[in-house]
Amino acid sequence: MSKEYNPQQIEKHWQQKWEEDGLYRSVIDTSREKFYFMTMLPYPSGNLHIGHWYAMSPSDARARFLRMKGYNVVFPMGFDAFGLPAENAAIKRKIHPKEWTYSNIDNMRRQLRSMGAMIDWEREAISSDPKYYKWTQWFFVQFFKNRLAYKKESPVDFCPNCNTTLAREQVWGEDRHCERCNTPVIKKNLNQWFFKITDYAEELLDFSAIDWPERVMAMQTNWIGRSEGAHVVFKTERGDEMPVFTTRPDTLWGATFMVMAPEHPLVDALTTAEQRAEVDAYVDMAARASDIEREATDREKTGVFTGAYAINPVNGDRIPIWISDYVLMTYGSGAIMAVPSHDERDFEFALKFGLPIIPVIDRIDGLAKSFVVNGSVKDGFDKALSDAGIAADKDKDGNIRVTLDTAQIDEYVALVEKHLQSGFWVEIVGGRWLFIFEDGVVPFNGVEADQAILARCKSLEPGVAENRTLMEMLAGQPFYQEALFHHEYGAMINSAKFTGTPGDAAKSTVTEWLEEQGIGHGAINYRLRDWLISRQRYWGAPIPMIHCPECGIVAVPEEELPVLLPDDVEFMPTGESPLKLHPTWRHVTCPQCGGPAERETDTMDTFMCSSWYQYRYLSPNCDFYPFDPEEGAYWLPVDQYTGGIEHATMHLLYTRFFTKAMRDCGVFDQIEPADPEHQPASIFDEPMTRLYNQGIILGEDREKMSKSRGNVIDPDDLVSKYGADTVRAYLMFAFKWDQGGPWDSQGIQGPIRFLNDVWNLVTAPQPGDGGSKAADNDVRALRRKTHQTILRVTRDIDEFSFNTAIAALMELKNTMQDYRSTPVAHTEAWDEAIRSLLLMLAPFTPHIAEELWAFIGEEYSIHQQAWPAAIEELAEEESITLIVQVNGKVRDRIVVPANIGEDEAKTRSLASENVQKHLGGKAPRKVIVVPGKLVNIVG
RNA sequence: GGGGCGGUGGCGGAAUGGCAGACGCGGCGGACUUAAAAUCCGCUUCCUCCGGGAGUGUGGGUUCGACUCCCACCCGCCCUACCA
C-alpha cells in the first residue's frame, strides 16, 4: 500500500473486485427482512450530471446503511430510454435514436460505476428494450380490455411550423413555444388515446397508506382539484339542455346570464342570425389564440352574445347566453351559470358588458356604505349622524361618506328620510341594498328592481344616463369599491323562499331542493383530466392497436407482442412520425376478421414506461409476465423511493394510478404475499410506501445549472480530481439533503482534508508513547466519543440527515487526532474507535473504508459487516458543565458530576460568587433545576 | 389569486422549550519553508467604558426560560392558476 491517499487507484480497484465478487447482487432470502430501495431512474442524455450524484449517492449511503443493519436490500438501476431528445439527435445529426440512446447508456453505466454505488446490475431495466416494452404494450392491452384506455378527439398542443403535435414536456417556457423551432404552440383537435385516471381521482386523494412528504401530497391534491357543488340543468329557450357545474348552488338566484366556451358544441346551433358574424369571428379568434394568450388572467375579459336565451330553472328568469374564452371547454361541462354578484370573473364580465348583477348572498362582515352627495340632504344631517354614533366623514367636495354597521341601517334610513332634499336619492350598499327616494325606500332585490330603480335615478340625475345597470352606476363611486362584491358563504338574500337560509346550510339546503325538483343534484368535479398517452413520435413504445375498417379498434393479440419498432425509418426534418411514412410497417391483417387493417402509428408517452419500472426491476428478463411473481411476493412494495420534487404531479401521480389500475386488472392476483402476517392487505394499492425528495444543486452563481450559463459542474472532472468518495462526502456534508443549495468549489476542501486525515490516522504509525500507560480518564473519554458518535450517526442516517452524520464523524476524527500522540493510541479503545470510524464511513465513502479496513487486517468486505452497536452506558457523560442562570441569563458555569442531584445543583449554584452578585443580596424567588443541564435562579 | 417551502455569522449549515452559531468553507495571526503550496497551532456574530450589553426576517403573546410553541405581518424561492 502506498503511503499517500490515492483515490483514483483504490476506487477502481475495489469497484472491480466488488463486481467480480457480485457483492451487490441481491437475491431472495426469506430468512432476512427485505428492503426495496429505489431512486428515480435517469434519462440517458449521455452524461450523469451533478444532480444525479446528489440524488443517488445519499440514497446509496442509506441503502448501504440498511444493508449493514441486516436488511436484505435491493438497489436497482435502469434507464428511461424512450423519448424525444433521441429523435431530435436523429434529425439533427443523422444518428439512429437507438444508436444514440445505447451509446449514451454505455457511458452512463460507466459513470454510475465510478460512483461506487451498490447497484445490482443484474436487475437493470431499459425501457426501450423490446423485452421491456413488450410488457409496456401488454399493460396497454390490459387497460384497453378493462376499459381504462380509450380513444377520443381532444385538443392537444400543436406546433404549426413543425406540423406535428407536441407532448406536454416538449412545450417550453412561459410563452409556451415549441422546443425544436421556438414557434408558439396552438391547440388542435386530434384523435388521441387516453387512460382513465379520472376514475381514480377519489382514491388518489387518499394518502393514508403511504408516508410521503406533505408537499407532494399537497401538490397532488391541488392537481386533482376536487370541488364539491352541484350539477344543475339549465334549458335554452329552444329546449336544449345546458348542464353546468357550480360550487355555489346557493347563488343560483343570482345567475343572470350564462357563458359557454367558444368551442362548446351548442354554440353554432344557438347563435341567432343577427349575432352570427360576431360569434363566428370570436370563435375563430379563440381558436387561433395560443393558450398563453387565452389564459393570461390579467387580460381584460372578452366575449360575444349569441342572441340566445336560457331559462334559470330556479326562478324562470330569461337570461342571455354569451360565449367567452374565460370559460374552458375542458373543465366541467364547458358552460357556466354566471353569478356576477359573487364570482369575481363573472362580476368583471358583467360590468364590462352591462349585464345585471344582483346580490343574493349577505355579507358576513356586515359592511355597509352610503355616499351622500353634497346638497342631497338638509343641514343638520351630519350632526344627526354623529348624535346617532354613525361613522361618517366629508370629502373635499362636501360629500358625506358613511360607513355603517348592519345594526345601524334602520336608524340611518330614518335619518336620511328625514333630511332628504327634494329631487335627490341616497343609497345604501353592501350589508343591505336600499335606495331611499323622497316617496319611500326601494330595495334593490332583483332584475326588475335593477331597471326600475335605475330609471328613477336617471330621471333625477342625467349624469348616470350612460349606465346600463345599477351595479355599473355604483361601481363608478370609488368609495363603494370593496362593498359591492364578495364571495363569502353568507346567508341567502333575494332568493325567493330560500331568503334567510344561513350560510353554513345554504349549499346543502339548495342542493337537496334541486334534487327534489329534478333540476339538479349534488356533484363532485375534478380538475384532473384523463391521461393523454398518444405521441405522434417514433422513439417510443408503439401503441399495440389495430384499426380495422370492419371491426373497428382491435388490440394486437398478446402472443404477438411486442409490436416492434421498425429500424429502417427516415426522419423528417418536420418531426413528423416516421411510422406514418414507413412503406410497410403500418399495413397488417386484422386479428379478428383477417382483412386488411392498419396499425396505430402513435407511440406511448414515456411516463407510461416509467410508471411500472419498479416491477420490471424485479426480473428484467422474465418472459412470461411483466415481473416474476415470486420476486414480487418477496420484494414488493418499494419501501423507499427517492427523487426530485419536479415529478410530483406527473410521474408520481401516474405511477400511483398505474399500480391501482394493475390491481384492478388483476395483475397482482398471482402473487402470494410472502408474509401475509406482516404485509397489509393494501400492499398493492400504492407503489412506494415511503418517499423522500432531495433538493437541487445550483451553480456557484446561485443560478440553476445550465450549459448556456456556463455554471455546470461536471462530476467526471471532480471524480478524476478528488475521487468519488470525496465527491460523495461533499454532496452529503454540504447541504441539507431536501434543501440543496449552491455549489462551492472551495467547500469541497473540507471533505478532502477529512478523508486525508482519516487516511493518515489509520495508516501512519502512531507517534505516541506505547510504553507508558494510558490514563483511564482518557480511555473512557475516547470510548465515550466513539459510542456517542455511533448513536448520532445511526439516528442521523435514519432521519436522512446526512450532513450532521458526517459532521459527527469529523468530530470523532478530531477527537482521535487529539489522542493520537498519547498512550491512548495504543489501547483497545483506540482500535475500537478506528474500526467504528471505518464502519460508519462505509456507507458514505465505500472505497476508502474498504481499503483501510483491509489495511488494518479486517475481513473482506467491510460492506458485509454489521453496523456498529452503541453501548449507551459508555456514551454517557461523567461530568457536565452546569449552566447557572440568573433570570434567564448565564452567570456562571460549574463542572459537576453528570448525575448531580437537584438539591446539590441548587446549593452549588447559589454558592457562586457571580450569582450572588447578580442577585444583589436578595433571596431567590424560585429556582428551576433542569437535571444535567442548567439551574435558573429567578430573583 | 391559491398552495407549498424557507428566512440563524462573510458562506454552507448545527441546535428533544434549556450555553445560539456544532461541523466545515472562507478570513485573520503565527509556526514550518529561500519562497509558495500543502501541513500544523491560535482567533474569527456584533457592540463595549472589558463590568457587560445586543443578537436567529418584523411586531406581539405563552413561559422561570423561545431559533424552537401560538397570533399577526414582511421578504425570498418553488409549484399552480380565468377550474365555475
Side-chain angles (χ1 to χ4, degrees):
Chain A
M1 167 180 285
S2 73
K3 295 203 95 168
E4 293 293 305
Y5 170 41
N6 181 343
Q8 286 71 25
Q9 202 187 335
I10 64 170
E11 286 176 2
K12 196 162 220 161
H13 169 251
W14 288 115
Q15 283 161 17
Q16 269 170 17
K17 168 96 172 130
W18 294 334
E19 188 126 11
E20 280 162 23
D21 298 345
L23 194 68
Y24 303 125
R25 181 84 186 97
S26 46
V27 292
I28 295 175
D29 174 359
T30 47
S31 70
R32 284 194 297 158
E33 198 170 339
K34 66 94 184 181
F35 198 98
Y36 191 169
F37 202 121
M38 192 167 90
T39 183
M40 288 181 190
L41 87 177
Y43 176 79
S45 58
N47 259 304
L48 222 53
H49 54 73
I50 200 72
H52 289 121
W53 275 71
Y54 189 62
M56 291 171 187
S57 44
S59 298
D60 175 56
R62 194 156 193 275
R64 287 175 174 279
F65 165 76
L66 290 165
R67 179 177 147 121
M68 291 174 81
K69 295 261 279 184
Y71 289 97
N72 188 16
V73 180
V74 62
F75 189 67
M77 188 56 63
F79 295 94
D80 187 15
F82 273 135
L84 210 72
E87 217 165 323
N88 285 343
I91 296 164
K92 280 189 205 129
R93 289 186 268 156
K94 307 269 174 225
I95 313 169
H96 196 280
K98 190 187 263 181
E99 202 184 309
W100 184 86
T101 302
Y102 283 82
S103 80
N104 284 348
I105 288 176
D106 281 344
N107 189 46
M108 289 175 79
R109 271 201 206 102
R110 175 191 63 76
Q111 293 175 310
L112 281 163
R113 283 184 156 92
S114 80
M115 191 186 287
M118 54 170 278
I119 295 165
D120 179 359
W121 284 104
E122 290 188 43
R123 294 184 184 274
E124 182 195 56
I126 298 172
S127 64
S128 60
D129 283 356
K131 67 181 177 185
Y132 186 102
Y133 71 72
K134 166 181 178 176
W135 297 104
T136 308
Q137 292 173 337
W138 182 84
F139 280 119
F140 190 100
V141 172
Q142 304 311 307
F143 289 2
F144 178 71
K145 286 181 177 164
N146 285 275
R147 299 176 191 284
L148 291 170
Y150 66 94
K151 200 170 191 184
K152 76 159 186 203
E153 182 123 320
S154 162
V156 291
D157 292 313
F158 185 85
C159 173
N161 186 43
C162 301
N163 197 32
T164 182
T165 60
L166 298 177
R168 191 182 167 148
E169 58 271 23
Q170 295 167 252
V171 181
W172 282 15
E174 279 281 294
D175 61 339
R176 296 177 54 82
H177 62 263
C178 168
E179 169 212 19
R180 197 152 4 87
C181 71
N182 296 326
T183 311
V185 305
I186 60 165
K187 286 279 183 202
K188 199 171 181 178
N189 274 317
L190 280 172
N191 216 6
Q192 305 276 298
W193 283 98
F194 289 86
F195 283 161
K196 291 206 81 176
I197 190 170
T198 52
D199 276 7
Y200 290 82
E202 204 60 47
E203 201 190 340
L204 288 167
L205 286 168
D206 177 8
F207 298 93
S208 56
I210 49 183
D211 178 14
W212 280 22
E214 200 58 47
R215 194 161 43 141
V216 176
M217 297 192 290
M219 284 170 83
Q220 293 200 349
T221 303
N222 288 340
W223 187 258
I224 293 166
R226 181 184 200 271
S227 16
E228 253 176 85
H231 177 93
V232 187
V233 180
F234 282 60
K235 277 190 180 159
T236 68
E237 273 186 322
R238 303 187 332 164
D240 317 272
E241 292 207 335
M242 269 183 76
V244 299
F245 173 75
T246 176
T247 54
R248 296 298 301 268
D250 53 329
T251 66
L252 259 161
W253 284 260
T256 49
F257 59 101
M258 299 191 78
V259 187
M260 292 188 292
E263 305 86 354
H264 196 285
L266 271 176
V267 169
D268 198 46
L270 286 177
T271 302
T272 58
E274 257 187 335
Q275 295 298 107
R276 176 70 59 192
E278 228 186 313
V279 168
D280 286 354
Y282 188 84
V283 170
D284 273 4
M285 192 270 300
R288 274 199 316 276
S290 67
D291 264 14
I292 189 73
E293 285 161 16
R294 276 188 61 163
E295 287 173 11
T297 322
D298 48 358
R299 197 180 55 132
E300 205 182 322
K301 297 262 178 298
T302 58
V304 174
F305 178 42
T306 59
Y309 288 84
I311 302 302
N312 184 334
V314 301
N315 57 13
D317 280 2
R318 183 170 180 260
I319 59 177
I321 303 170
W322 285 63
I323 58 169
S324 173
D325 60 12
Y326 83 89
V327 174
L328 309 176
M329 194 56 226
T330 44
Y331 184 79
S333 64
I336 61 159
M337 65 173 210
V339 182
S341 46
H342 305 290
D343 179 286
E344 215 154 355
R345 297 150 300 178
D346 298 345
F347 185 72
E348 196 194 321
F349 191 85
L351 270 188
K352 177 163 176 187
F353 293 105
L355 295 158
I357 303 171
I358 311 300
V360 292
I361 301 290
D362 215 355
R363 292 188 75 92
I364 286 179
D365 59 12
L367 174 71
K369 287 190 163 194
S370 181
F371 185 85
V372 184
V373 177
N374 192 5
S376 58
V377 286
K378 294 172 192 151
D379 289 347
F381 183 64
D382 4 8
K383 182 165 185 308
L385 286 184
S386 70
D387 287 349
I390 292 170
D393 65 4
K394 228 175 220 178
D395 69 11
K396 60 183 192 312
D397 298 321
N399 306 311
I400 303 169
R401 297 182 296 197
V402 183
T403 304
L404 296 158
D405 205 72
T406 324
Q408 298 172 315
I409 292 177
D410 288 338
E411 188 177 7
Y412 178 75
V413 170
L415 288 176
V416 172
E417 284 188 299
K418 201 167 142 197
H419 290 86
L420 190 66
Q421 292 276 20
S422 176
F424 288 91
W425 86 88
V426 168
E427 74 268 344
I428 298 169
V429 305
R432 299 263 287 278
W433 301 86
L434 299 172
F435 284 73
I436 307 162
F437 294 99
E438 271 177 89
D439 57 352
V441 181
V442 184
F444 167 31
N445 60 3
V447 181
E448 276 163 36
D450 187 28
Q451 288 308 309
I453 296 168
L454 185 63
R456 287 195 69 171
C457 293
K458 283 179 180 175
S459 71
L460 294 172
E461 169 55 53
V464 300
E466 295 291 300
N467 290 314
R468 295 161 292 184
T469 63
L470 272 186
M471 200 61 88
E472 187 178 16
M473 181 184 89
L474 297 170
Q477 175 48 257
F479 177 60
Y480 288 152
Q481 195 82 71
E482 74 273 37
L484 299 183
F485 173 85
H486 76 90
H487 49 73
E488 292 163 338
Y489 285 88
M492 294 173 70
I493 55 173
N494 301 331
S495 300
K497 70 168 185 172
F498 290 96
T499 295
T501 310
D504 51 5
K507 225 169 127 166
S508 54
T509 309
V510 173
T511 305
E512 275 169 38
W513 178 78
L514 288 172
E515 277 175 41
E516 285 165 22
Q517 300 297 306
I519 46 181
H521 54 83
I524 290 160
N525 205 43
Y526 302 92
R527 210 188 66 118
L528 183 72
R529 320 269 163 80
D530 275 339
W531 176 9
L532 172 65
I533 284 292
S534 292
R535 296 291 181 269
Q536 290 68 36
R537 285 304 178 154
Y538 166 74
W539 192 236
I543 291 176
M545 291 290 149
I546 290 168
H547 296 269
C548 171
E550 296 301 320
C551 315
I553 295 177
V554 182
V556 173
E558 287 174 28
E559 60 277 12
E560 285 176 28
L561 296 177
V563 175
L564 286 170
L565 270 180
D567 284 340
D568 55 333
V569 287
E570 209 182 318
F571 295 95
M572 306 307 284
T574 57
E576 208 168 340
S577 173
L579 293 180
K580 282 204 170 105
L581 307 168
H582 193 278
T584 54
W585 184 79
R586 60 194 298 193
H587 303 297
V588 286
T589 53
C590 172
Q592 241 168 60
C593 68
E598 283 198 7
R599 283 196 191 286
E600 172 65 63
T601 55
D602 283 355
T603 52
M604 289 183 234
D605 179 7
T606 56
F607 278 120
M608 167 99 183
C609 311
S610 56
S611 286
W612 71 279
Y613 74 110
Q614 62 269 33
Y615 302 111
R616 192 62 187 170
Y617 275 158
L618 300 173
S619 44
N621 296 309
C622 181
D623 56 7
F624 60 91
Y625 211 57
F627 57 91
D628 184 337
E630 220 175 296
E631 296 273 342
Y634 180 70
W635 294 108
L636 293 177
V638 174
D639 297 283
Q640 177 72 58
Y641 196 32
T642 61
I645 185 74
E646 65 274 16
H647 293 109
T649 53
M650 310 267 270
H651 163 64
L652 288 172
L653 194 62
Y654 294 144
T655 191
R656 287 183 67 214
F657 155 71
F658 213 93
T659 292
K660 293 169 193 297
M662 282 168 71
R663 173 201 63 200
D664 292 346
C665 292
V667 177
F668 295 123
D669 291 355
Q670 313 242 357
I671 299 184
E672 301 271 335
D675 182 3
E677 291 282 305
H678 294 97
Q679 279 171 335
S682 63
I683 56 169
F684 300 119
D685 294 337
E686 296 282 357
M688 297 107 183
T689 318
R690 199 159 178 220
L691 173 71
Y692 198 96
N693 300 110
Q694 79 277 0
I696 298 169
I697 300 295
L698 303 171
E700 275 201 278
D701 54 3
R702 296 166 169 276
E703 301 288 336
K704 218 171 185 174
M705 282 192 200
S706 74
K707 271 189 195 145
S708 56
R709 279 206 188 86
N711 60 354
V712 174
I713 300 294
D714 178 12
D716 276 5
D717 289 351
L718 295 170
V719 170
S720 61
K721 222 160 142 187
Y722 308 116
D725 282 340
T726 298
V727 179
R728 291 169 60 107
Y730 176 58
L731 285 170
M732 287 184 252
F733 174 65
F735 318 91
K736 292 197 229 191
W737 196 37
D738 56 348
Q739 222 67 70
W743 181 262
D744 177 3
S745 52
Q746 284 296 335
I748 200 168
Q749 288 302 329
I752 291 171
R753 288 176 190 147
F754 172 56
L755 293 184
N756 265 305
D757 286 350
V758 171
W759 180 270
N760 292 329
L761 210 50
V762 178
T763 62
Q766 306 311 328
D769 178 359
S772 52
K773 189 172 180 310
D776 279 359
N777 261 345
D778 290 347
V779 170
R780 281 207 306 277
L782 177 62
R783 294 204 76 189
R784 189 180 311 127
K785 188 70 186 176
T786 301
H787 287 269
Q788 284 175 344
T789 306
I790 296 171
L791 286 172
R792 277 176 66 183
V793 173
T794 306
R795 191 197 59 211
D796 288 350
I797 303 180
D798 258 331
E799 293 169 0
F800 295 87
S801 185
F802 304 106
N803 55 342
T804 53
I806 292 180
L809 290 171
M810 286 175 170
E811 278 187 47
L812 176 60
K813 178 225 68 175
N814 290 344
T815 302
M816 291 178 72
Q817 279 180 327
D818 291 342
Y819 284 115
R820 192 181 167 196
S821 44
T822 74
V824 177
H826 299 272
T827 61
E828 219 352 86
W830 177 267
D831 295 340
E832 178 193 42
I834 292 278
R835 276 195 312 272
S836 306
L837 178 64
L838 294 180
L839 286 168
M840 286 189 280
L841 273 173
F844 302 104
T845 55
H847 312 88
I848 190 175
E850 186 81 286
E851 178 79 11
L852 294 175
W853 191 249
F855 178 87
I856 61 171
E858 293 286 348
E859 186 192 348
Y860 174 83
S861 155
I862 191 169
H863 303 297
Q864 288 167 310
Q865 306 303 313
W867 185 251
I871 300 168
E872 300 263 358
E873 302 85 78
L874 290 175
E876 273 166 23
E877 294 288 351
E878 291 171 12
S879 66
I880 53 149
T881 304
L882 190 70
I883 302 305
V884 185
Q885 298 180 329
V886 176
N887 292 328
K889 286 195 193 303
V890 180
R891 296 304 179 188
D892 207 351
R893 290 153 218 264
I894 323 173
V895 177
V896 298
N899 58 359
I900 189 169
E902 272 198 34
D903 292 342
E904 174 74 5
K906 202 188 257 185
T907 315
R908 292 184 59 174
S909 300
L910 284 167
S912 158
E913 226 174 90
N914 207 31
V915 166
Q916 284 307 322
K917 193 178 126 198
H918 282 274
L919 273 173
K922 284 180 228 149
R925 281 196 290 135
K926 196 173 175 186
V927 179
I928 286 135
V929 180
V930 183
K933 288 260 166 69
L934 62 63
V935 175
N936 189 12
I937 298 161
V938 185

